Amino acid sequence: MSESAGIDPVAAAAKAAGASGGGVSRAGLIGISLGVVAAGAAAGVAIERLTVGRAMRRRAREELDAAAPYGSLRGRSRTVPAADGTELYVELDGTGWPDRDRPGERPAQAPLTVVFCHGYCLSQDSWHFQRAALRAGARLVFWDQRSHGRSERSRSYLGGEPASIDQLGADLKAVLDAVVPEGPVVLVGHSMGGMTVMALAERHPELFGERVVGAALIGTLAGDWDSVTLGLPVAGARLLKRLSPQVVRLLGRQAELVEATRRFGSDVTSVFYRRYSFGTRDVDPAVARFAERLLDATPFEVVAEFYPAFSAHDKKAALAALAGLPTLVLAGTKDLLTPPEYSEEIAARLPGTELVLVPDAGHLVMLEHPATVDRHLAGLLLRAARHAGTEAPEAARDLLA
């Protein structure tokens, strides 16, 4: 896209840097990052500004916010303390939970529970369609990762400790211990949520096979984050990956300024979000707006908190804990953040895994193609139920009927 518009991302970054003799100023460092990432979207922004008025776009966003029910589904809420005391927000949903008015009633077989782990800069509401599709007869658990959604800001990070994927795996264990202390569990993770599942597998492999009887890894990777090009030319991607951790740290210290800039530049961020969230332009505007709201709700301080953790993420060896379990690995063919070849690599390490590559889908495949994701999750739940010797949720059976 950038080449056809006469924009070279590398040249734009170099111009933004304003460096000489190998030195890069603070302003130049920020310019490099924003120049490389935003140049690919610049042509789209220019065209959009020519064809649709700014006021009209603002009114359209307001109307979609007022009309769309996305993210409105709620369950029974509770908080779970993590090891450092951070309060994690959890919701129990679905009709398969014991009747609270008759707490002594227990099923003959331990029912299947499905635990959903969301991705970076999102919240549990990103599972809106799957939540709606799987409620009948199911026990569903949704939680917000630390510092995201309704969960508390990470106490350890505020105390000076860096964020890590390993810590997220420990948080998932705390959620399981608190709300699903017994019975078979299927873990569903998207993006950073998939990494969270892998971190749990590394820390507690003994859970897999006994408690965890199935897993879905959606739009995620097991390592090599620094090799992802983000859809940019190789030279531009290398430059961005080398400088972005420093840039993110700098911007994280200027959070108020960044948030003001995000609001002022909503047209730019809208095009940026679409490029890295969806595979095509043919997305329901209400869904696209919902994704924008989810991403905008994440403060830049949280973006800065977790970004460095991805370079250190390497859980390829941990995948061995999933061997022999019903597993679904799913990705969009046009995912620029966790490209499909990384899902193919995960599946190659787990013989018998169901690998699904959704044509023309981007990173937020569960929002872009919900029916496809719902159907494959239903199939996973049926396989996991058979593996555990228990009954599959009614909703899963209905989706495949």
Side-chain angles (χ1 to χ4, degrees):
M1 182 171 71
S2 57
E3 291 180 356
S4 63
I7 299 173
D8 181 353
V10 180
K15 182 179 180 181
S20 62
V24 181
S25 67
R26 173 173 170 168
L29 199 60
I30 295 173
I32 285 176
S33 177
L34 298 182
V36 171
V37 175
V45 174
I47 293 171
E48 191 178 19
R49 286 176 183 270
L50 288 172
T51 55
V52 184
R54 183 185 182 92
M56 184 181 298
R57 292 195 301 277
R58 184 175 62 252
R59 286 197 301 272
R61 285 196 294 268
E62 291 171 352
E63 290 174 2
L64 288 171
D65 287 347
Y70 303 133
S72 62
L73 300 179
R74 299 266 67 90
R76 301 203 308 269
S77 64
R78 61 176 295 179
T79 57
V80 171
D84 65 348
T86 300
E87 295 288 338
L88 305 172
Y89 180 80
V90 180
E91 288 188 3
L92 310 184
D93 208 339
T95 63
W97 295 96
D99 191 330
R100 285 182 293 179
D101 296 329
R102 293 175 290 180
E105 291 192 0
R106 298 173 64 88
Q109 291 179 307
L112 198 66
T113 304
V114 191
V115 181
F116 290 82
C117 309
H118 70 77
Y120 179 51
C121 297
L122 298 170
S123 73
Q124 63 177 264
D125 291 343
S126 62
W127 297 110
H128 174 86
F129 291 107
Q130 292 66 50
R131 187 173 195 151
L134 294 171
R135 276 177 148 178
R139 301 203 320 179
L140 308 178
V141 175
F142 299 90
W143 65 294
D144 290 334
Q145 306 248 31
R146 62 174 55 227
S147 297
H148 290 72
R150 297 170 179 82
S151 285
E152 185 183 13
R153 187 74 191 277
S154 173
R155 296 188 185 185
S156 58
Y157 181 80
L158 295 177
E161 297 180 20
S164 71
I165 303 300
D166 290 337
Q167 187 177 48
L168 300 182
D171 290 349
L172 176 54
K173 178 63 161 54
V175 170
L176 291 176
D177 289 345
V179 302
V180 199
E182 59 183 13
V185 174
V186 172
L187 301 177
V188 180
H190 167 250
S191 190
M192 187 176 75
M195 300 177 192
T196 301
V197 173
M198 297 176 211
L200 177 68
E202 182 177 68
R203 294 172 66 98
H204 296 283
E206 74 280 359
L207 293 178
F208 289 74
E210 293 294 327
R211 292 291 319 286
V212 179
V213 297
L217 303 175
I218 300 174
T220 190
L221 44 73
D224 300 322
W225 160 251
D226 288 338
S227 67
V228 178
T229 67
L230 303 174
L232 300 172
V234 174
R238 287 175 179 168
L239 182 64
L240 176 64
K241 288 298 183 72
R242 186 168 66 251
L243 296 177
S244 56
Q246 303 170 59
V247 174
V248 169
R249 280 196 298 272
L250 287 173
L251 294 178
R253 296 171 190 153
Q254 303 291 332
E256 292 184 6
L257 175 61
V258 173
E259 295 300 340
T261 303
R262 286 171 76 180
R263 291 190 295 272
F264 179 77
S266 59
D267 295 332
V268 176
T269 56
S270 176
V271 174
F272 178 83
Y273 287 160
R274 277 178 177 260
R275 173 167 171 75
Y276 286 98
S277 296
F278 305 113
T280 68
R281 293 180 178 272
D282 187 22
V283 178
D284 182 342
V287 171
R289 178 58 185 150
F290 175 48
E292 288 180 29
R293 286 167 44 212
L294 289 171
L295 294 164
D296 278 338
T298 305
F300 192 81
E301 294 164 296
V302 176
V303 178
E305 178 180 337
F306 283 90
Y307 185 83
F310 299 127
S311 292
H313 171 67
D314 184 354
K315 296 292 185 282
K316 295 176 183 177
L319 293 171
L322 280 66
L325 296 182
T327 305
L328 167 67
V329 177
L330 185 146
T333 61
K334 292 188 177 180
D335 187 336
L336 298 178
L337 296 179
T338 53
E341 55 264 30
Y342 294 87
S343 288
E344 291 175 326
E345 181 183 5
I346 292 174
R349 291 174 174 268
L350 296 171
T353 290
E354 180 187 16
L355 173 64
V356 178
L357 301 181
V358 183
D360 297 326
H363 191 59
L364 299 187
V365 60
M366 69 283 191
L367 295 178
E368 189 173 12
H369 294 278
T372 298
V373 175
D374 295 348
R375 186 172 63 255
H376 286 287
L377 281 178
L380 171 67
L381 297 186
L382 262 62
R383 297 193 301 277
R386 287 196 298 268
H387 180 86
T390 190
E391 188 174 356
E394 173 189 345
R397 299 195 303 270
D398 290 345
L399 280 171
L400 297 177

